[in-house]
Amino acid sequence: MSDWIDTLPDSARAYLEGKRLDEVECIIPDLPGIARGKAVPASKFMRQDYFHLPDSIFYQTITGEWGEAAGAEGFIEKDMILRPDMSTATAAPWTGDWTLQVIHDAYDRNGDVVEYSPRNVLKRVVDLYRAQGWEPVVAPEMEFFLVARNLDPAHEIKPMMGRSGRPAAARQAYSMTAVDEFGPVIDDIYDFAEAQGFEIDGITQEGGAGQLEINLIHGDPVRLADEVFYFKRLIREAALRHDCYATFMAKPIEDEPGSAMHMHHSVLDAETGANIFSGPDNEETDAFFHFIAGLQNHMPDALAVLAPYVNSYRRYVKDHAAPINLEWGRDNRTTGIRVPLSSPNARRVENRLAGMDCNPYLGIAASLACGYLGLMEKKQPKPEFKGDAYVGEGDIPRVLGEALDLFEEATEMHKVLGPEFARVYAIVKRAEYDEFLQVISPWEREHLLMNV
């Protein structure tokens, strides 16, 4: 076993130093970003090169129903071959024994990648950049709420009790006192992240009651998506230790801001390492504007991936720290596309539309796909927006059904993300949407039952 342990990433080896590895969780993210897989004894994992799961895990809706996405062969639940990416091996520090998690990649029986596996979708997009001599770089920001336990879906979600014994308060953005209210949960988040080898760039209180934001260091898109995938799990586990839930719903509490996964994008020249958004005299380059134009022109087609649930569209509310538009502006948080203050070497574009409820692999892939199409089309964006962009009416789909209509017709986006992925994703999401439309809400019962 010692020889095998020596091949692990430094953080995993440090976690196991002087310990006996008991179990390995062999996992793969599905379409919603839920970890699917098997837990196996460490001795068995060391003897296996792969394991099997049925391809039907990618046909499931968020409710556990099945989208009719199996294709011409029908729903026969073929086995996929799942191979470990040992660079992703990391601790599961909340478990009662010494356990590692390892993310796996999906292949079919012929050894070809399964195109609708989310990690493979992101790899496909990154490879398109690399074929052009570019290296995409991302830095995600993760917003989420810590809320009181909610055992009955019919009850409203409420903020958690803070350390003071009072419910978390809203409109306390950047308050250190508010952060201190959640100190025990945050301490566990830091401890779990350290055990897993993840570096947190900072934690801040956001505007919602019990809403926090974690920023991650910029880097390779696949590695950062892996980290967000892992972070969602570790944050949930940290919250459960303190009798509360962590939720990544886009809009869990009415009249409160929603939770976004803002993504900062830059692109490097793979040969020189230079940021292609900055020229030799530190000026903004054509590539910089082409990337922005790609986001403006193609984000409506990708919104069903960036905002994947009916709840996602409740986040897009004027003056609630969520964009309703595809305008771009420098240092302007009312625009959907923001250019933050930075040095020329760090020049980047921030996509503010993605919700925290999106699958991190698919959300990053879709955002990069928009930028890639812009770089290839070489179009110019609309003029920079100056002022309050909330004044306008908005120019993005406001419901999932409308977003799905655009996605289903977006052939150029399908070519980048993969036609087979686009087919499966559209079918599964349409099944979710149709299922939602069968549910009668409290609002309908209150206002329509006796009045219409």
Side-chain angles (χ1 to χ4, degrees), residues 401-417:
E402 182 184 344
L404 282 171
D405 291 341
L406 293 176
F407 178 77
E408 288 167 349
E409 299 298 323
T411 53
E412 292 304 309
M413 180 64 59
H414 297 176
K415 291 175 185 177
V416 179
L417 297 177

Side-chain angles (χ1 to χ4, degrees), residues 133-375:
W134 301 323
E135 196 66 39
V137 176
V138 301
E141 301 173 353
M142 300 184 297
E143 296 178 347
F144 60 95
F145 279 83
L146 295 175
V147 300
R149 283 181 178 267
N150 183 280
L151 303 180
D152 185 346
H155 292 167
E156 293 181 0
I157 296 172
K158 298 183 180 299
M160 69 167 283
M161 288 291 180
R163 194 177 51 152
S164 66
R166 302 177 67 185
R171 292 171 289 281
Q172 298 297 323
Y174 307 111
S175 164
M176 294 309 300
T177 300
V179 170
D180 289 343
E181 279 284 271
F182 318 120
V185 181
I186 291 173
D187 287 346
D188 277 348
I189 290 173
Y190 272 120
D191 289 345
F192 289 166
E194 182 179 2
Q196 295 187 244
F198 302 149
E199 187 174 358
I200 295 175
D201 197 34
I203 294 182
T204 57
Q205 165 75 20
E206 281 294 315
Q211 187 182 32
L212 298 173
E213 177 181 283
I214 293 179
N215 298 334
L216 301 182
I217 302 293
H218 64 274
D220 172 78
V222 177
R223 181 178 63 80
L224 266 299
D226 288 340
E227 288 195 13
V228 175
F229 171 64
Y230 276 141
F231 257 107
K232 280 190 169 184
R233 191 177 185 196
L234 79 83
I235 292 169
R236 287 192 182 101
E237 292 290 342
L240 287 172
R241 284 194 169 191
H242 300 278
D243 199 37
C244 64
Y245 292 162
T247 180
F248 301 94
M249 280 179 66
K251 186 81 166 184
I253 304 176
E254 62 184 60
D255 298 326
E256 295 283 358
S259 290
M261 187 177 75
H262 298 152
M263 290 178 275
H264 294 247
H265 294 294
S266 56
V267 181
L268 307 182
D269 183 299
E271 186 173 335
T272 66
N275 187 342
I276 71 169
F277 291 168
S278 294
D281 296 323
N282 296 331
E283 76 278 13
E284 295 167 338
T285 63
D286 288 341
F288 169 77
F289 292 107
H290 296 157
F291 192 95
I292 293 173
L295 293 177
Q296 287 187 326
N297 294 332
H298 295 283
M299 201 105 71
D301 295 339
L303 198 65
V305 181
L306 299 167
Y309 303 105
V310 289
N311 177 263
S312 308
Y313 297 81
R314 299 185 188 279
R315 176 177 152 256
Y316 300 126
V317 179
K318 285 185 179 184
D319 302 317
H320 270 64
I324 59 170
N325 60 74
L326 294 169
E327 304 290 351
W328 78 276
R330 294 178 176 86
D331 195 26
N332 186 341
R333 285 181 169 82
T334 69
T335 58
I337 303 162
R338 172 177 171 257
V339 178
L341 296 175
S342 70
S343 67
N345 288 340
R347 182 169 283 131
R348 60 195 185 274
V349 177
E350 179 188 10
N351 178 352
R352 296 177 60 80
L353 267 79
M356 196 62 230
D357 54 347
C358 76
N359 179 313
Y361 299 96
L362 298 181
I364 293 172
S367 190
L368 284 174
C370 295
Y372 173 81
L373 287 168
L375 290 169

Side-chain angles (χ1 to χ4, degrees), residues 44 48 88 122 153 176 218 221 232 303 323 436 443 450:
K44 178 180 178 180
Q48 71 181 29
T88 69
L122 178 53
M176 294 309 300
H218 64 274
K232 280 190 169 184
L303 198 65
F436 170 79
W443 185 94
M450 301 297 290

